[in-house]
Amino acid sequence: MEPTCLDTSLNLNVHPSSLHTDMVLEEELQRLRRENKRLTEMLTHLCDSYMVLQKQLTQLMNTNLEQEQLESRKRKAESECCTNKFGVVNNNNNNNGECSSITEDSFKRYKDFSSSPKVQKVLVKTEASNNSLYVMDGYQWRKYGQKVTRDNPSPRAYFRCSFAPTCPVKKKVQRSLEDPTILVTTYEGEHNHCNERGEIGSKQSEGGKGSSPTVRLDLVKSGLFESAQKSSIQQFLVQQMATSLTRDPNFTTALATAISGKILEAKW
DNA sequence: CGTCTTTGACCCGCGC
DNA sequence: GCGCGGGTCAAAGACG
């Protein structure tokens, strides 16, 4: 089958005497400007909505994390109460006092965590059947330990970045207590090298184990909503939009048809 | 044979 | 000072 070649080069040598064509082109230009403006407004609105949603999600995450820590502390307190069950009767007032201190402590802990500039917490949604603690994030990790913690019955895995020997980055991966399909990954430190993959999850790089595909749910990065972030998000969205549009064969075909149509229109 | 995972032992900080 | 618990080490085994 012979491919249909479409000449997409712009013919700017419009006949100067064709006033009608000029007017049509002028109109078309204005129409395109209006459309461009409308699309820009839409994009701005989209960015605003994205920011609002992101903030809501972060607030929700904060609430969940606090609640999780609170509950784990409560469980701890309860188990301690149970061990004292046959001893002296516990004073309820003491319990209440302890609960209030727990809340404050949990909150303080979370605040300390969130204020640390080099600690990132990432939640990764996995398939229910996927029991591995491997998270594909584009870097190469070497597991150096695993531990079962008191707060969570599922084991916590410890990884070091193995791409560069001097890279100080570590990560901890543990299943969420509330939703075992969510892997809570905590990154500590910053990579002192480039991402060798160049993209996230491009290859199953986790020690050759080959885990099931994961879905990135959220990225809670400390200092995420800094002042300059909005513009970068907009830039990112525009890039994403442009990439997805240019990758869409239907779009490129439609674009080529539209351009050629307009050129033909201008010529005739 | 080299690399990676597993896992028990050890270290160390923190609270009591 | 002691015990607990989180984090790390390192030997052994698995695997390509």
Side-chain angles (χ1 to χ4, degrees), chain A residues 69 73 104-114:
Chain A
Q69 288 181 337
R73 287 303 194 91
E104 283 170 16
D105 186 41
S106 303
F107 185 61
K108 190 168 67 184
R109 279 182 179 212
Y110 179 68
K111 274 176 74 173
D112 289 344
F113 159 77
S114 61

Side-chain angles (χ1 to χ4, degrees), chain A residues 161-202:
Chain A
C161 181
S162 65
F163 180 65
T166 56
C167 183
V169 180
K170 292 173 193 170
K171 77 169 178 180
K172 292 180 278 189
V173 181
Q174 190 172 29
R175 295 202 168 271
S176 171
L177 193 60
E178 289 176 350
D179 186 354
T181 63
I182 292 174
L183 288 175
V184 181
T185 311
T186 309
Y187 294 89
E188 289 176 26
E190 290 172 355
H191 292 280
N192 56 11
H193 57 89
C194 299
N195 182 350
E196 71 274 23
R197 304 290 176 206
E199 57 182 308
I200 293 169
S202 60

Side-chain angles (χ1 to χ4, degrees), chain A residues 67-120:
Chain A
Q67 211 169 354
E68 197 174 306
Q69 288 181 337
L70 233 166
E71 280 174 5
S72 65
R73 287 303 194 91
K74 275 183 183 171
R75 272 195 295 275
K76 185 184 168 185
E78 277 170 11
S79 65
E80 279 169 1
C81 286
C82 289
T83 56
N84 293 335
K85 201 156 104 174
F86 299 107
V88 183
V89 176
N90 288 321
N91 188 330
N92 285 334
N93 291 335
N94 286 345
N95 283 345
N96 290 341
E98 195 180 355
C99 284
S100 66
S101 68
I102 285 166
T103 311
E104 283 170 16
D105 186 41
S106 303
F107 185 61
K108 190 168 67 184
R109 279 182 179 212
Y110 179 68
K111 274 176 74 173
D112 289 344
F113 159 77
S114 61
S115 63
S116 176
K118 290 181 181 178
V119 177
Q120 292 177 27

Side-chain angles (χ1 to χ4, degrees), chain A residues 47-64:
Chain A
C47 287
D48 288 343
S49 305
Y50 175 80
M51 291 297 290
V52 168
L53 278 172
Q54 184 78 288
K55 278 181 182 175
Q56 283 177 354
L57 193 58
T58 308
Q59 281 172 0
L60 196 67
M61 291 299 305
N62 292 353
T63 314
N64 283 345

Side-chain angles (χ1 to χ4, degrees), chain A residues 3 6 8 11 14 17 32 37 44 47 49 53 63 87 92 102 123 149 153 158 190 215 225 238 254 258 260 264:
Chain A
L6 180 70
T8 55
N11 183 6
V14 180
S17 63
L32 286 171
K37 194 183 170 186
T44 309
C47 287
S49 305
L53 278 172
T63 314
N92 285 334
I102 285 166
L123 304 184
T149 57
Y158 299 90
E190 290 172 355
V215 180
F225 297 107
V238 169
S260 58
L264 288 170

